[in-house]
Amino acid sequence: MPDLLLELFSEEIPARMQAKAAEDLRRMVTDRLVAEGLVYEGAKAFATPRRLALTVHGIPARQPDLKQERKGPRVGGAEAAILGFLKATGLNSLDEAKIQRDPKGDFYIALTEKPGKPAVDVLAEILPLIIRTFPWPKQMRWGELSAKSSALTWVRPLHSIVATFGIETEEPEVVQFDLSGVSVGQTTYGHRFLAPDAIQVRRFDDYVAKLQAAKVVLDPERRKEIILADARQLTFAQGYELVEDPALLDEVAGLVEWPVVLMGSFDKDFLSIPDEVIRATIRANQKCFVVRDPKTQKLTNKFIITANIEASDGGTAIIAGNERVIRARLSDAKFFYETDLKTKLEDRLPKFEQIVFHEKLGWESDHVARVERLAVELALLINADPEKTKRAARLARADRLSEVVGEFPELQGIMGKYYLLAQGEDSSVAAASEEHYKPQGPTDWVPTNLVSVAVALADKLDALRGFWIIKEKPTGSKDPYALRRAALGVIRLILDNNLRLNLVELIWKLVRRGIQIDQHPSSEGKKHHLLLNVVVTNFVVEQKMLEFSEPVSEVAAQAEADKFASEFTSKIAADLLNYLAERLEGQLRDQGARHDLVKATIDGQDDLLMVVRRVEALGKFLDSDDGKNLLAGTKRANNILAIEEKKDKRKFDGAPDAALFKLDEEKALARAIAEVGPEASAAVAKEDFAGAMTAMAKLRPAVDAFFDKVKVNDDDAAVRENRLKLLNEIRAATRAVADFSKIQD
Amino acid sequence: MHSLPPHMRPERSFQGFILALQRFWAEQGCVILQPYDMEMGAGTFHPATTLRALGPKPWKAAYVQPSRRPKDGRYGENPNRLQHYYQFQVIMKPSPANLQDLYLQSLKAIGIDTALHDVRFVEDDWESPTLGAWGLGWECWCDGMEVSQFTYFQQVAGVECAPVAGELTYGLERLAMYVQGVDRVYDLNFNGRDGADKVTYGDVFLQAEQEYSRHNFEHADTTMLFEQFKMAEAACKKYLDAGWKGGKREEHLMALPAYDQCIKASHVFNLLDARGVISVTERQSYIMRVRELAKACGEAWVHTEAGSAA
């Protein structure tokens, strides 16, 4: 079967867009082929800085014929309907229609066959469409044709297209289509400098080989392999080690068609700058790799360049040029670093009074002050040194105003650590500057230094609290303040460090002290109003209007204001806690734990760690036979109760009356509950959740036997009520460990 | 090129370097203009680029533009940073299909051999918030050094470019340093002579860098500058209003003088910014104000003879 070769040859495509563009091209072409009835055997797409290429092999030469059956009017139906039918189906007369009988009568049926088109014609239709609608993140117009609004757009000017279609043994056909004057045919070009001439290609095999000969490595994976292997070898040969950097490798492979790896060096004096700064300088500005000494793990004064040409002098000029640039960059970096060291970090803090944290949440300095206060409160709860925590919280972000961080924002925190150590701060205070931003994501590490933990929690909780109050919480697709990450960070900080924190109380307190209530009483004739505003940094985030028949006294107004503050706080705090619970579920799911048990255990709990312990114990219990049966029994009790409660429009709470027990199984169940209930509660109180589950297990035989032998809806109303009360006791007893009704089967 | 006397060769002298670029682009049919006689932050501000990029009429020009970046002054102590430097600017409308090739040939003309040096086009989307302009293109790298900016203008002064113009900006000092092989801008040979006849970039500009750094950071009269900003803004609006022929928004007769005031406002803002008297929040609003002027000038320009189809 024939194959398609497609190449879109353009000016340099941004490196970061190449991989997705290749994938988009493959997906769009193959999806359309399948939609047109052309099921292909395989497809692969590639990208270089100057081309997107696609090979699709095993495409049928023609579309299958399309058979259609169309029901028409009733035999002997109105003339207009029959004429319409003929016109719509293209039949010449009713003689060409079949007649079909169904229960409603005889109907005309038209059987038409739409012959499939040659695949090459289908391609000629779909390819220009795909090119015109290609989803580049940014596209542009160019040249003379850009005067018209219908001009073709592409990521950069598109120069020519190769589109051939055919079987291996024959000369392929060019897919003919018109695209704003861009030439379509069999011509492409080699490397911009090393082999710029036109090349004629037939199909994918000779295309790849001819490109290779013209100094173009088509496959980005192959280019990455070459760069990595050559870089490793060059560094190894000198007794060094390449500092690998997959993101940089991707980018560099997208900047060259013919990778040539070279090694340069810089003055050893620059090694006095922190490694991170050297690396950031060389990586961001030069897109070069750095090199380390395997013995010390410290950087050496070497770097790895990936050039795009085999230079006529073997690369001497390229190395010299890169060395000059890196020398200039490193002397800037050294100057910045040394300048930074002259200023104590606290001396930078006054500037925070002029930088907005968020319009509605005040200045950076306000945020720092809040974090400082909260971090100290947390330090007392988790046994971190409060003095060190206070200092760490105060200085943790101060490096943002340093020269080096201004140049390389990704070094924020790390530079703070260097500067704090240099100014003689305690090592845990210095560490907190870097560590309080952690964890940055689900796979990032979590700090264990308690000073860092306190500051990290305070920083994240303050942000969450603030954005929740001003109603800027994240939505499914939008999270501009990275609050999802902050929430997950809070959870991981607590769990990984086994922290005991009453989050309910803590969050309530944080929300409450972040808001003020403004009171605006007014009177109009006999009507008296009190307008209450929830205010944050001069912004009203919520309001409420109350009406009174008499003028409102100051005391009464204050009481209403307090009440409104509490209502608002409770609402916001509950919503934030719920969000944290959802993140906890997500976290447990990622760890393969029973995340559905979170909802069953979290009610009334204020301590995340205890929720997780409970979930663990409950998960194990539910895996056992006792657990499974008890869950089934409890659910059955719940179901019966739900039905009967609805029927009688009442609850069956209150203790059952022992005198009304008629059967042994009833008595046995009552005894088991009386025993298990307190035992489980006592174990829970001691945080012995496994013990609580063991106690629960004892309930199972009694519950099983009860449902086996006892008819709950006895004819005697008093006995029925008593039995329902007993069922209610099962539910109450199991609540000591979880709300079984919320567990999924 | 090698018929040139040694002191005129691009790899020997700064002035020879500029002459080589001018000659190259003159041969491509460009009008070789002289610098615009106003202070501006980049060659793009020259009306030969900003305004001529708009409208349907073809336009090819090249020129040197002294560029003033008051904040980049370093009192003459930094080997690369200057508050006054030169840009060489090329604009071609519509962008020719071989603009990349022309650019590479121009490098050859100034002594950069692409068989020896690694020249790369690295993504750089250009945007000028003050000019209400954006385009897509690249930074052009030579052996890891950014030597030029290459942009296909998509919008300028708030107006869609139809057709699109291609713009090239060469950082002259940086390129000349590379070609001459010096590490400090002040060591550039300006006139290509040796011994007592040699004039360096430092001879010409070092004192100016020191004096202007003092001026830009310490002494520029901010009261006057705030006033100048307001005056330039008001004048720009006034000339724009007065320029509409017969008061109808069909034909404009004074886009160029109005645009001069926009250039003025932009430079005054840069000076105020260097003096550190504009807060973070105010900064945004000043940029917006300049952009509004630029947009209004662009709107006027496309109603002039040179800016319209007529």
Side-chain angles (χ1 to χ4, degrees), chain A residues 304-450:
Chain A
I304 294 290
I305 308 157
T306 312
N308 188 34
I309 58 164
E310 276 167 1
S312 52
D313 66 350
T316 315
I318 296 174
I319 293 173
N322 276 279
E323 285 177 343
R324 283 161 58 102
V325 185
I326 280 182
R327 191 187 318 143
R329 296 284 190 180
L330 286 177
S331 39
D332 276 353
K334 188 162 187 263
F335 177 76
F336 290 148
Y337 176 63
E338 285 168 357
T339 309
D340 283 348
L341 286 175
K342 288 178 194 153
T343 309
K344 288 207 157 199
L345 280 187
E346 55 258 62
D347 295 341
R348 299 191 183 275
L349 288 175
K351 279 235 159 150
F352 276 0
E353 287 161 22
Q354 294 162 22
I355 300 174
V356 178
F357 176 74
H358 181 281
E359 186 195 17
K360 294 185 181 173
L361 295 172
W363 304 97
E364 279 283 339
S365 51
D366 298 330
H367 173 72
V368 171
R370 288 192 302 261
V371 170
E372 192 178 324
R373 176 177 175 191
L374 176 56
V376 173
E377 290 168 351
L378 286 165
L380 296 171
L381 294 172
I382 67 172
N383 291 323
D385 182 315
E387 282 308 311
K388 287 178 186 170
T389 303
K390 187 177 167 68
R391 183 126 186 97
R394 211 174 141 65
L395 298 174
R397 290 157 83 87
D399 67 339
R400 293 178 60 192
L401 298 170
S402 68
E403 302 275 347
V404 171
V405 176
E407 202 76 6
F408 303 110
E410 71 270 27
L411 295 185
Q412 168 178 311
I414 293 173
M415 295 321 295
K417 180 183 73 181
Y418 280 108
Y419 298 146
L420 289 171
L421 286 174
Q423 69 182 56
E425 297 289 338
D426 179 86
S427 64
S428 61
V429 172
S433 178
E434 179 180 6
E435 293 178 354
H436 89 283
Y437 292 109
K438 305 265 169 201
Q440 298 266 18
T443 53
D444 196 15
W445 59 280
V446 174
T448 52
N449 158 21
L450 288 177

Side-chain angles (χ1 to χ4, degrees), chain A residues 74-88:
Chain A
R74 191 186 292 272
V75 173
E79 197 172 337
I82 288 172
L83 283 175
F85 170 64
L86 290 177
K87 196 174 173 200

Side-chain angles (χ1 to χ4, degrees), chain A residues 44-342:
Chain A
K44 200 160 167 37
F46 306 89
T48 79
R50 297 172 81 201
R51 56 200 98 217
L52 292 183
L54 172 70
T55 167
V56 185
H57 66 267
I59 303 174
R62 294 186 75 84
Q63 278 179 315
D65 297 342
L66 203 60
K67 280 186 184 145
Q68 271 183 327
E69 197 180 279
R70 188 166 167 152
K71 192 174 171 186
R74 191 186 292 272
V75 173
E79 197 172 337
I82 288 172
L83 283 175
F85 170 64
L86 290 177
K87 196 174 173 200
T89 53
L91 298 186
N92 293 315
S93 74
L94 284 177
D95 298 344
E96 291 172 18
K98 279 176 55 175
I99 294 172
Q100 204 173 60
R101 169 163 297 178
D102 72 15
K104 288 182 191 159
D106 290 343
F107 290 88
Y108 289 112
I109 298 287
L111 286 176
T112 52
E113 204 171 65
K114 192 180 155 209
K117 280 191 282 188
V120 70
D121 294 350
V122 175
L123 284 166
E125 283 169 23
I126 66 177
L127 293 181
L129 213 65
I130 287 169
I131 294 167
R132 285 194 179 274
T133 57
F134 201 78
W136 291 109
K138 274 188 188 168
Q139 18 198 327
M140 53 167 278
R141 296 167 293 119
W142 65 91
E144 226 164 309
L145 292 171
S146 61
K148 294 192 189 125
S149 59
S150 61
L152 176 66
T153 59
W154 198 244
V155 62
R156 293 293 183 277
L158 180 62
H159 281 282
S160 63
I161 296 173
V162 171
T164 67
F165 186 72
I167 57 173
E168 201 173 343
T169 49
E170 284 171 18
E171 199 55 33
E173 222 178 315
V174 170
V175 183
Q176 299 287 355
F177 56 91
D178 183 60
L179 193 77
S180 291
V182 178
S183 76
V184 181
Q186 291 181 255
T187 309
T188 185
Y189 301 86
H191 188 280
R192 186 186 274 291
F193 302 110
L194 299 173
D197 293 341
I199 306 168
Q200 298 304 310
V201 296
R202 298 174 58 244
R203 36 187 299 108
F204 186 65
D205 297 344
D206 72 309
Y207 170 71
V208 173
K210 283 175 180 165
L211 280 184
Q212 180 78 25
K215 308 286 185 189
V216 174
V217 180
L218 179 66
D219 187 347
E221 289 307 314
R222 181 75 196 112
R223 295 197 299 275
K224 280 161 67 176
E225 282 166 22
I226 294 170
I227 297 167
L228 196 56
D230 289 358
R232 280 177 181 157
Q233 207 200 330
L234 260 181
T235 47
F236 179 76
Q238 299 212 11
Y240 300 128
E241 191 176 78
L242 178 74
V243 177
E244 295 193 10
D245 187 333
L248 181 61
L249 183 61
D250 280 341
E251 188 178 4
V252 167
L255 288 171
V256 294
E257 290 201 313
W258 191 254
V260 175
V261 177
L262 303 165
M263 182 147 76
S265 54
F266 54 84
D267 198 321
K268 279 196 166 131
D269 283 354
F270 290 124
L271 292 173
S272 65
I273 315 171
D275 280 4
E276 290 92 340
V277 181
I278 296 178
R279 182 174 176 186
T281 304
I282 290 180
R283 179 188 205 274
N285 297 318
Q286 297 319 121
K287 313 215 187 292
C288 289
F289 296 89
V290 289
V291 174
R292 72 182 153 225
D293 182 337
K295 292 187 284 288
T296 60
Q297 293 293 306
K298 295 279 291 170
L299 292 190
T300 69
N301 62 329
K302 304 282 173 196
F303 62 94
I304 294 290
I305 308 157
T306 312
N308 188 34
I309 58 164
E310 276 167 1
S312 52
D313 66 350
T316 315
I318 296 174
I319 293 173
N322 276 279
E323 285 177 343
R324 283 161 58 102
V325 185
I326 280 182
R327 191 187 318 143
R329 296 284 190 180
L330 286 177
S331 39
D332 276 353
K334 188 162 187 263
F335 177 76
F336 290 148
Y337 176 63
E338 285 168 357
T339 309
D340 283 348
L341 286 175
K342 288 178 194 153

Side-chain angles (χ1 to χ4, degrees), chain A residues 11-12 14 16 138 140-141 143 146 156 159 192-193 255 285-286 306-309 311-312 321-322 324 327, chain B residues 95 97 100 115-120 123 125 137-138 141 143-144 152 154 160-161 163-164 177-178 182-183:
Chain A
E11 297 179 11
E12 276 75 357
R16 66 187 170 93
K138 274 188 188 168
M140 53 167 278
R141 296 167 293 119
S146 61
R156 293 293 183 277
H159 281 282
R192 186 186 274 291
F193 302 110
L255 288 171
N285 297 318
Q286 297 319 121
T306 312
N308 188 34
I309 58 164
S312 52
N322 276 279
R324 283 161 58 102
R327 191 187 318 143
Chain B
S95 63
Q100 277 188 313
L116 211 54
H117 295 284
D118 185 24
V119 178
R120 228 82 74 72
E123 178 191 12
D125 299 343
W138 310 273
W141 284 22
D143 299 336
Y152 291 102
Q154 302 294 301
E160 291 292 314
C161 299
V164 161
M177 283 165 71
Y178 197 68
V182 299
D183 283 338

Side-chain angles (χ1 to χ4, degrees), chain B residues 36 38 51 232-243 252-265 293-294 296-298 300-301:
Chain B
Y36 203 59
M38 290 188 73
L51 296 180
E233 185 183 37
C236 181
K237 289 178 180 165
K238 195 169 167 185
Y239 304 161
L240 283 171
D241 281 347
H252 203 281
L253 303 174
M254 233 165 24
L256 287 163
Y259 179 64
D260 281 355
Q261 298 305 315
C262 169
I263 298 176
K264 182 91 190 159
L293 298 181
C297 291
W301 172 259

